[in-house]
Amino acid sequence: MPLLEVHRVSKSFEGFRALNDVSLTVEEGTLYALIGPNGAGKTTLFNLITGRYTLDAGRVLFAGQDISHTPTHRIIHHGIGVSFQRAIPFSSMTVLENVTLAVLALDRKTRDFARSLLSYGDAAKRAEEIISWVGLTDLKRQVAASLSQGDLKRVDIALALASKPRLLLLDEPLAGLSRTERAQMVGFIRELLRSLGTTLLFTEHDTEAVLKLAERIMVLHRGSVLAEGTPDEIRSHPQVQEAFLGREA
């Protein structure tokens, strides 16, 4: 059974058809990308999957369960972690405090700020483990406001991983990063998710990075599926080159 199934979904905004009869299947363990030019519908599709938008038509299934009308704040309890384009940890809190809050939230708990983090025992230990996964152990006592954009992205991924997801959804994880930081982030995401056995679905504008990271790619154009396949198949697809990648691809 596929981990994620999107069946013939559509979405319009004030008469504009942003997404038209789109389907995709993500197998467990896959690194899957959604790409396309601006206005192609990839962010709309991502927001339909994550529950930020309401479907006009179609269904979304996760592990065989219909989650079509599940709001974003409940998505995590189905085994889905979500990280949106802008990293949004609490800027005045440390990395450890942010991730501990995310771990507590999974159990529908809140933090009493009169208590130390160490008093939360298992939650704090779990947070430290997740922080080590994303390579920020040396920065765990740093407040988020003092971190670089690349480190903030890692914190945001750590927050998504706090839900113990089988599927991680990343919306433009390389946005705002320098060329060097993007290359580092591609390697980091690949190695992290393979070590955890977590499936990935992500949107991204950096085509070069997508071709290096993804194992399967769907190309959207004007709200419809233009192509779907491996990076090599997408790279050599004539319609994709004409519409998006360009002759240099």
Side-chain angles (χ1 to χ4, degrees):
M1 176 190 301
L3 186 61
L4 178 71
E5 299 170 85
V6 176
H7 294 286
R8 305 189 67 176
V9 301
S10 296
K11 182 65 178 178
S12 296
F13 298 97
E14 298 180 350
F16 171 71
R17 193 76 156 180
L19 214 60
N20 182 42
D21 201 27
V22 171
S23 298
L24 69 82
T25 299
V26 180
E27 300 290 342
E28 191 149 19
T30 304
L31 306 181
Y32 196 111
L34 298 173
I35 67 172
N38 289 332
K42 56 188 183 296
T43 298
T44 299
L45 178 55
F46 193 87
N47 286 334
L48 289 173
I49 294 170
T50 59
R52 298 185 83 185
Y53 293 165
T54 302
L55 293 162
D56 289 345
R59 295 192 305 156
V60 178
L61 304 179
F62 179 72
Q65 183 177 356
D66 194 326
I67 60 166
S68 303
H69 302 288
T70 303
T72 304
H73 69 276
R74 293 182 180 173
I75 284 283
I76 64 170
H77 296 289
H78 290 271
I80 301 173
V82 183
S83 174
F84 294 109
Q85 181 177 346
R86 183 175 177 270
I88 51 171
F90 293 104
S91 61
S92 62
M93 294 185 186
T94 67
V95 173
L96 182 57
E97 287 173 325
N98 269 285
V99 181
T100 301
L101 282 176
V103 172
L104 289 170
L106 182 64
D107 296 325
R108 295 182 172 85
K109 296 177 181 178
T110 58
R111 181 191 172 188
D112 178 355
F113 284 88
R115 294 173 55 184
S116 72
L117 287 175
L118 293 177
S119 70
Y120 284 92
D122 290 343
K125 289 179 182 178
R126 171 72 177 166
E128 295 221 30
E129 180 184 29
I130 295 168
I131 289 168
S132 72
W133 291 348
V134 299
L136 292 178
T137 298
D138 291 344
L139 298 177
K140 67 182 180 181
R141 303 292 180 187
Q142 294 280 343
V143 295
S146 69
L147 299 177
S148 68
Q149 186 64 26
D151 288 335
L152 280 173
K153 291 282 188 178
R154 291 185 183 229
V155 174
D156 212 40
I157 291 173
L159 298 180
L161 292 175
S163 64
K164 303 178 183 179
R166 292 174 64 187
L167 173 66
L168 180 62
L169 300 172
L170 301 180
D171 186 13
E172 297 194 27
L174 309 182
L177 302 184
S178 68
R179 187 178 184 86
T180 299
E181 288 174 325
R182 291 199 300 269
Q184 292 172 343
M185 186 62 71
V186 166
F188 158 70
I189 292 173
R190 182 193 298 114
E191 295 307 314
L192 172 66
L193 298 188
R194 284 185 174 169
S195 68
L196 297 177
T198 304
T199 305
L200 173 66
L201 175 65
F202 69 107
T203 67
E204 184 52 57
H205 279 290
D206 186 335
T207 310
E208 179 183 350
V210 169
L211 293 171
K212 291 179 180 177
L213 177 58
E215 296 167 336
R216 301 287 297 180
I217 300 170
M218 174 176 284
V219 184
L220 292 172
H221 186 54
R222 297 178 180 176
S224 298
V225 178
L226 180 63
E228 197 271 349
T230 66
D232 285 342
E233 289 169 340
I234 295 302
R235 186 183 285 110
S236 61
H237 196 290
Q239 288 178 291
V240 173
Q241 290 185 14
E242 180 181 354
F244 182 43
L245 294 181
R247 294 183 180 276
E248 293 182 1

